[in-house]
Amino acid sequence: VYIVTGFIGSGKSTLLNILGLVDSQTTGAYYIKGQNVSTLIKSKPHLLRNRLFGFIFQYFALLNQYTVLENIMLPLTYRKSSHKERLEESLFYLNKVGLSEHKNKKINKLSGGQQQRVAIARALVNEPQVLLLDEPLGALDLKLRKEMQLELKKIQKRLGITFIFVTHDQEEALTMSDTIVVMNKGVIQQMGSPEDIYNEPANAFVADFIGESNILTGVMLE
């Protein structure tokens, strides 16, 4: 799990949109597996995006008029898969997120945490290599948010795919991440493990952002 964190307006969501091919960078180059994305995107952009990335946003954009199963099947409908394939794959991921018994319920009959898991299953049904999550727990209350932090970590370990997770919550970043990327004004300040970021911040901004630290002006002699 990679966590991208920083204050609001630091460029976290913009970076996520560029990674997911929703937006493009104004300068520099973006490579996937050694290939320049600007070249790849000109060929089959939708196919490339769907194969590589799944998206989950703060507001899950689930369709209340559909059942849980129908919501998860929706991406496969656009892929023009057969009904049998759609059903089998959707049930597989529904089971992965632990909601098989709720497959025929309407979305508005689910709790916030259950809706979160439906959104995860819908994002995963296309079998992306990377799951991009833009502050997906921001709309949840504190207790449910804590529960879903642990639940997302369990799901990531079970599925074994890369999660790139944007949050401005320092505690969430430290709790969920294997690697943290701290940003400020569109610039990466430090990238490393939670322990490295907390114990050895690269500069005063990271030290102040990540923890309740005492920052002293001085010169380290050794």
Side-chain angles (χ1 to χ4, degrees):
V1 177
Y2 289 83
I3 299 286
V4 181
T5 189
F7 291 119
I8 293 171
S10 62
K12 305 181 301 295
S13 294
T14 301
L15 175 61
L16 202 72
N17 287 336
I18 291 169
L19 292 177
L21 312 179
V22 173
D23 203 350
S24 57
Q25 75 277 8
T26 52
T27 60
Y30 173 23
Y31 288 84
I32 296 177
K33 295 183 177 180
Q35 292 186 282
N36 194 312
V37 169
S38 61
T39 304
L40 291 173
I41 202 72
K42 290 175 183 176
S43 52
K44 296 181 179 178
H46 299 296
L47 184 61
L48 176 66
R49 187 179 296 122
N50 290 337
R51 282 182 175 175
L52 287 174
F53 304 107
F55 281 91
I56 300 176
F57 299 100
Q58 182 172 343
Y59 298 99
F60 310 137
L62 299 171
L63 302 176
N64 287 326
Q65 68 269 33
Y66 290 168
T67 64
V68 168
L69 184 59
E70 287 168 340
N71 266 277
I72 296 170
M73 290 173 71
L74 198 58
L76 299 177
T77 304
Y78 293 119
R79 248 172 49 183
K80 298 182 179 178
S81 304
S82 70
H83 179 74
K84 182 182 178 184
E85 289 174 328
R86 294 200 303 269
L87 188 60
E88 286 178 353
E89 292 182 39
S90 299
L91 287 172
F92 173 79
Y93 283 102
L94 197 55
N95 182 58
K96 283 284 187 183
V97 298
L99 287 177
S100 297
E101 68 275 19
H102 298 288
K103 65 182 180 182
N104 294 319
K105 285 186 179 179
K106 291 293 178 68
I107 293 299
N108 56 11
K109 300 297 182 183
L110 302 180
S111 68
Q114 288 170 333
Q115 290 183 22
Q116 168 77 68
R117 283 186 274 169
V118 174
I120 292 169
R122 187 181 62 181
L124 293 173
V125 78
N126 269 328
E127 300 183 343
Q129 296 176 34
V130 179
L131 187 61
L132 304 172
L133 306 98
D134 193 359
E135 306 216 28
L137 307 182
L140 305 181
D141 61 64
L142 181 61
K143 182 175 183 295
L144 185 55
R145 186 177 182 130
K146 299 287 187 188
E147 290 173 0
M148 285 308 301
Q149 286 174 5
L150 299 176
E151 187 67 27
L152 278 171
K153 189 73 175 173
K154 287 178 187 175
I155 290 170
Q156 186 272 330
K157 286 185 179 296
R158 195 157 64 233
L159 295 173
I161 68 171
T162 299
F163 281 23
I164 300 179
F165 189 111
V166 161
T167 181
H168 63 268
D169 186 314
Q170 296 95 320
E171 184 181 350
E172 191 166 84
L174 292 168
T175 300
M176 293 189 61
S177 64
D178 299 301
T179 300
I180 297 179
V181 179
V182 182
M183 293 186 67
N184 183 35
K185 298 179 181 178
V187 177
I188 292 175
Q189 301 295 310
Q190 188 172 355
M191 180 174 175
S193 69
E195 293 80 9
D196 289 343
I197 297 286
Y198 190 84
N199 293 326
E200 299 184 30
N203 54 40
F205 174 85
V206 176
D208 185 53
F209 178 78
I210 273 303
E212 296 176 1
S213 308
N214 292 319
I215 301 175
L216 305 175
T217 302
V219 178
M220 186 166 64
L221 298 178
E222 296 182 7

